Amino acid sequence: MSQTFDYDKALLDPADMFDTPEDVLTQPGLTAAQKIDLLRRWEYDANEVAVAEEEGMRGEKPLMVRRVALALETLTGGSDANRLKTTKQNTY
């Protein structure tokens, strides 16, 4: 990561800005809401990769989806677990 953190850039591709979802939790200067937004974006992206893998394309391991979900649960106290998931990619 660069010295100056660019939230907007991180929101476009959290996996490019952070080594792990847990790093989002410890990023200074972000509100809980910003961290949740970053993790939700990462979760969406990780689920997209999981779908691609099911279709025979190579990508990130499904474990990343679980790690992002656990990081989200840390911030939301589990309340995110009950959100409506309308597609396999978990859009809401």
Side-chain angles (χ1 to χ4, degrees), residues 43 69 80-92:
E43 179 182 43
D80 245 25
N82 296 322
R83 77 173 183 268
L84 179 62
K85 297 179 181 183
T86 57
T87 70
K88 193 171 195 172
Q89 291 82 6
N90 295 331
T91 58
Y92 36 93

Side-chain angles (χ1 to χ4, degrees), residues 5 7 10-11 14 18 20-43 68-76 80 92:
F5 182 77
Y7 172 75
L11 196 55
F18 297 95
T20 69
E22 297 81 10
D23 290 342
V24 175
L25 299 176
T26 60
Q27 177 64 40
L30 292 178
T31 66
Q34 288 174 316
K35 291 175 183 181
I36 290 168
D37 286 344
L38 286 166
L39 289 167
R40 284 183 178 158
R41 168 54 65 179
W42 199 334
E43 179 182 43
V68 172
L70 288 172
L72 265 170
E73 187 176 310
T74 298
L75 287 169
T76 64
D80 245 25
Y92 36 93

Side-chain angles (χ1 to χ4, degrees), residues 31-79:
T31 66
Q34 288 174 316
K35 291 175 183 181
I36 290 168
D37 286 344
L38 286 166
L39 289 167
R40 284 183 178 158
R41 168 54 65 179
W42 199 334
E43 179 182 43
Y44 179 85
D45 293 346
N47 277 305
E48 288 285 304
V49 169
V51 169
E53 285 179 339
E54 286 178 12
E55 295 173 357
M57 297 178 219
R58 296 187 66 175
E60 195 174 2
K61 296 183 189 233
L63 174 63
M64 187 57 69
V65 175
R66 180 70 181 137
R67 289 179 71 184
V68 172
L70 288 172
L72 265 170
E73 187 176 310
T74 298
L75 287 169
T76 64
S79 63

